[in-house]
């Protein structure tokens, strides 16, 4: 019987776990034997006893456990020597950040490990149930709005009290993809007035259906839709004109949440230092694109910058702050992929399969993904 191992995550600040008692039971029903490293789910409020009840065996983890696994389910990238702990022919699934960990990728290929990084999953209808980037971005958008409400020295909703009326907070959200739309919905539920900027015109309807106001785009022939729900890179002239429009809206905002992203490109710089200087003191900026360079020029990853009373926060892993539900959704996404690659005779990797082929990183002793060159090969 094939063995699955769920190790404890060792990455800094990582609190999520790649399988929950619910998905463990389903993995067992699929024919796997499941081992969970002691305490792996503790930071996400899943205790060892719950895994045992679901049918898993609790193990000590470390090199020996890894070597005995046919399938290893991870959240974050491998740490230290872990890339050398996996057995030849085993399968590794997780958010492996392959382009930031080329050395680990070479080691995985050399060891004959098959790896499927979740960030390379094709974002197609067929793969929707496996889309960890969406499930985790949704959480990030929700958390960003809640964080902004807590950080702001004002109310979000309109309040009429005996001491007079409080005006609702003005929230500007830049980028209305997965994270942005959830931030719109959450800020609206908390009672804020929400304005939204996005370069894909089709988003306007979605924003308005959530009660947000769409900020008009610069009048040009350029269309920001790149297909598949993604944006394309805009010209410098377009972005300059967009910033001019945004500047007026940001000057009267109390909260700015930025989530603008273009696939494969650094985050567009949409909030310049001059725009921050024109904002009111007390304004809070939450920059979700911090890790990809930031949508604001002053953002620093996982730090808080104070610019004349405007505070800019660049949290990098908001989903980890809500580890229980983040793990529930993440684990279900991974289970859907495992079900997809498991047949009657166990795991079968088909490089021709639309989903597997699109995300296959290492297999049969080679690096298979086109994002890597021959020089990267072991
Ligand atoms: P997404 O692709 O679904 O959404 C990005 C949106 O930005 C799209 O709607 C796109 O049209 C828009 N956009 C692109 N250029 C723009 C511009 N010039 N002006 C306005 N809008 C523009 O991506 P997502 O999954 O929502 O993620 C958004 C960002 O948040 C990414 O950078 C992602 O890495 C980051 N993220 C951060 C965390 C965290 O904890 N910090 C967690 C998840 C995602």
């Amino acid at each position: 019987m094939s063995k699955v191992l769920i190790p404890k995550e060792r990455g800094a600040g990582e609190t999520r776990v790649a399988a929950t008692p619910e998905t463990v039971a389903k993995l067992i029903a699929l024919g796997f034997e499941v081992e969970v490293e002691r305490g792996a789910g503790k930071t996400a409020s899943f205790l060892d006893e719950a895994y045992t009840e679901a049918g898993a065996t609790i193990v000590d983890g470390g090199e020996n456990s890894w070597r005995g696994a046919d399938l290893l389910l991870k959240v974050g990238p491998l740490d230290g020597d872990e890339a050398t702990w996996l057995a030849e022919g085993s399968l590794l699934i997780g958010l492996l950040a392959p382009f930031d960990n080329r050395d680990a990728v070479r080691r995985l290929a050399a060891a004959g490990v098959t790896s499927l990084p979740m960030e390379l999953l094709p974002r197609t209808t067929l793969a929707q149930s496996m889309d960890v980037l969406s499930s985790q971005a949704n959480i990030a958008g929700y958390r960003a709005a809640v964080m902004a409400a807590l950080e702001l020295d004002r109310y979000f909703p309109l309040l009429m009290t005996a001491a007079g009326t409080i005006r609702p907070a003005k929230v500007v959200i830049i980028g209305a993809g997965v994270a942005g739309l959830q931030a719109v919905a959450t800020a609206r539920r908390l009672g804020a007035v929400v304005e939204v900027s996005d370069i894909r015109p089709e988003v306007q309807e979605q924003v308005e259906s959530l009660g947000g106001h769409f900020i008009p785009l610069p009048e040009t022939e350029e269309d920001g839709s790149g297909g598949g729900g993604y944006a394309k890179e805009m010209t410098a002239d377009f972005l300059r004109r967009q910033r001019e429009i945004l500047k007026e809206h940001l000057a009267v905002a109390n909260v700015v949440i930025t989530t603008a992203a273009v696939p494969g490109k650094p985050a567009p710089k949409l909030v310049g230092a001059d725009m921050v200087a024109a904002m009111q003191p007390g304004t809070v900026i939450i920059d979700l694109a911090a890790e990809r360079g930031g949508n604001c020029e002053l953002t620093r990853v996982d730090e808080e910058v104070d610019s004349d009373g405007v505070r800019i926060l660049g949290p990098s892993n908001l989903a980890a702050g809500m580890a229980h539900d983040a793990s529930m959704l993440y684990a279900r996404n991974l289970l859907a992929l495992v079900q997809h690659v498991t047949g009657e005779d166990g795991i079968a990797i088909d490089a021709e399969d639309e989903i597997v082929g699109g995300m296959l990183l290492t297999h049969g002793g080679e690096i298979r993904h086109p994002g890597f060159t021959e020089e990267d090969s072991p």
Side-chain angles (χ1 to χ4, degrees):
M1 194 186 286
S2 294
K3 200 184 274 181
V4 186
L5 174 68
I6 316 301
K8 192 172 159 60
E9 296 295 320
R10 296 203 152 63
E14 190 52 82
T15 53
R16 294 169 291 176
V17 60
T20 61
E22 174 195 83
T23 63
V24 162
K26 290 188 174 156
L27 287 166
I28 291 169
L30 208 56
F32 290 101
E33 184 184 333
V34 182
E35 291 187 347
V36 176
E37 183 177 343
R38 195 178 311 286
K42 195 172 173 210
T43 48
S45 311
F46 296 109
L47 300 184
D48 290 346
E49 296 77 61
Y51 286 108
T52 313
E53 269 172 39
T57 308
I58 303 298
V59 297
D60 283 333
E63 189 169 352
N64 281 342
S65 306
W66 284 54
R67 216 165 277 296
D70 302 292
L71 169 60
L72 196 105
L73 299 181
K74 281 277 293 155
V75 177
L78 300 181
D79 200 40
D81 285 338
E82 288 173 347
T84 59
W85 290 359
L86 280 153
E88 187 176 351
S90 61
L91 171 62
L92 168 68
I93 302 178
L95 281 166
L96 307 175
F99 301 109
D100 299 329
N101 293 288
R102 287 175 181 265
D103 202 40
V105 175
R106 273 191 286 274
R107 289 198 206 180
L108 288 172
V113 174
T114 298
S115 54
L116 297 174
M118 292 308 288
E119 48 274 83
L120 299 183
L121 180 91
R123 291 180 101 175
T124 57
T125 313
L126 193 61
Q128 230 168 22
S129 60
M130 310 164 196
D131 191 350
V132 299
L133 292 185
S134 288
S135 71
Q136 306 302 296
N138 212 310
I139 293 174
Y142 166 79
R143 295 280 294 181
V146 172
M147 179 187 249
L150 280 176
E151 293 292 338
L152 189 67
D153 56 4
R154 295 166 177 260
Y155 274 114
F156 259 35
L158 167 81
L159 278 190
M160 291 199 219
T161 76
T165 300
I166 300 279
R167 307 299 311 158
K170 288 199 184 96
V171 175
V172 174
I173 294 172
I174 305 179
V178 179
L181 284 175
Q182 185 54 254
V184 176
T186 307
R188 285 289 303 140
R189 274 184 222 121
L190 289 171
V193 171
V194 179
E195 292 188 325
V196 182
S197 173
D198 199 299
I199 51 171
R200 292 180 298 125
E202 67 267 26
V203 170
Q204 178 164 359
E205 204 183 310
Q206 295 166 32
V207 167
E208 286 170 354
S209 74
L210 291 170
H213 305 282
F214 198 72
I215 300 175
L217 289 166
E219 281 178 26
T220 70
E221 294 292 299
E222 272 190 78
D223 180 343
S225 304
Y230 288 112
K232 68 174 194 231
E233 201 172 27
M234 306 305 272
T235 61
D237 183 54
F238 179 97
L239 292 176
R240 184 185 52 74
R241 291 167 66 183
Q242 187 190 8
R243 276 195 296 269
E244 271 168 26
I245 296 172
L246 281 175
K247 190 171 183 174
E248 286 173 30
H249 293 262
L250 299 193
V252 291
N254 306 114
V255 166
V256 182
I257 298 173
T258 68
T259 79
V262 178
K265 305 282 174 203
K269 287 275 181 285
L270 295 165
V271 184
D274 59 315
M275 294 160 81
V276 175
M279 289 185 208
Q280 312 173 80
T283 305
V284 174
I285 302 176
I286 312 270
D287 191 343
L288 285 196
E291 257 191 324
R292 296 169 65 165
N295 290 137
C296 174
E297 264 175 21
L298 304 182
T299 301
R300 283 200 233 122
V301 185
D302 290 322
E303 285 186 33
E304 181 179 324
V305 175
D306 189 319
S307 177
D308 290 329
V310 176
R311 291 159 60 219
I312 303 135
L313 285 76
S316 65
N317 191 355
L318 280 171
M322 218 173 86
H324 187 83
D325 279 0
S327 302
M328 284 274 253
L329 299 173
Y330 183 89
R332 286 180 191 159
N333 292 143
L334 254 56
L335 173 69
L337 177 61
V338 174
Q339 285 167 333
H340 183 74
V341 298
T342 305
E344 282 193 359
D345 300 324
I347 297 170
I349 295 300
D350 175 7
E352 302 301 314
D353 176 77
E354 183 189 317
I355 295 174
V356 173
M359 65 191 300
L360 193 56
L361 177 64
T362 60
H363 185 56
E366 292 172 1
I367 301 179
R368 304 285 286 258
H369 198 268
F372 286 81
T373 61
E374 291 242 320
E375 286 160 28
D376 288 305
S377 287

